[in-house]
Amino acid sequence: MTAALCEVGIGMTSQRTRERLVQRLVEAGISHSGVLEAMRSLPRHLFVDEALASRAYEDSSLPIGHGQTISQPYIVARMTEALLAGGPRDTVLEIGTGSGFQTAVLASLVRRVYSVERVADLYEKAERRLRGLKLRNVRLRHGDGHLGWSDYAPFDGILVTAAPEGVPRGLVAQLAPGGCMVLPVGRNEQQALVRVTRTESGYEHELIEPVVFVPLLGGTA
Ligand code: SAH
């Protein structure tokens, strides 16, 4: 087979497998059309090691090095949907860039995305990938996400992709009024996905569903 034919073959397979993944997300209860479109069109295989590319459209998390994982597509879709449920969001802060896949999903749905990653190597790789995809409404930073990103605060939405033991005060303080934060909270097997909304008088908490995430760690690496 020539290289060109080979590429066409891979392209067709991945379009079919992507469609299957979207179908699975719909069956699992994801209904936001923009989120489903982002999951259909984004090349998740470019966010994992070549050796894992053939598994990129399975609904599972995969290792990305440094003991970290690219989140399961269902979880990415669920968190994004929960973040956008109250209407469109202008600026969103993500904590835990990892592979940059969730960042890319957000970038296709909101005006500007800011994302912080504590592991330098992951930050650099994500920066290259997102630049390669020509996503220009994204700004990444290497740092400790507990501090948020005060230069660009307040944010209409904050999405945290690693689990703290409690809701980090420094982060909720960077929410705009009416803004919400979606994050996993808790230890080990006892985590829940939570949405915290900033209201005129304080904060409202809603429980979404049980989840398993890597822990939110302190400092940088
Ligand atoms: N959204 C990513 C998820 C990666 S896993 C993806 O789908 O690829 C969680 C990420 O959070 C890891 O990359 C980890 O290094 C990062 N992380 C953990 N604690 C952090 C902190 N305090 N600040 C910033 N990033 C953190």
Side-chain angles (χ1 to χ4, degrees), residues 64 68-71 94-100 102 116-119 122 143-146 161-162 214-217:
I64 55 171
Q68 304 302 319
T69 55
I70 179 173
S71 303
E94 176 191 31
I95 304 301
T97 318
S99 66
Q102 169 81 70
V116 183
E117 169 57 53
R118 71 179 286 277
V119 179
L122 293 177
D144 182 356
H146 282 99
T161 73
V214 294
L216 188 74
L217 303 173

Side-chain angles (χ1 to χ4, degrees), residues 10-79:
I10 291 168
M12 281 166 64
T13 310
S14 79
Q15 204 48 54
R16 241 190 344 256
T17 51
R18 283 184 210 191
E19 210 48 60
R20 250 199 315 267
L21 172 61
V22 169
Q23 202 47 49
R24 203 188 144 103
L25 297 176
V26 170
E27 282 158 17
I30 305 298
S31 62
H32 190 289
S33 58
V35 172
L36 291 170
E37 188 46 39
M39 301 302 287
R40 179 179 287 118
S41 58
L42 282 171
R44 190 169 183 259
H45 63 279
L46 300 181
F47 290 81
V48 294
D49 253 25
E50 246 173 89
L52 291 170
S54 65
R55 299 187 53 199
Y57 300 97
E58 290 175 13
D59 190 20
S60 55
S61 59
L62 295 167
I64 55 171
H66 306 273
Q68 304 302 319
T69 55
I70 179 173
S71 303
Q72 180 193 355
Y74 168 73
I75 286 292
V76 172
R78 190 79 184 88
M79 290 180 85

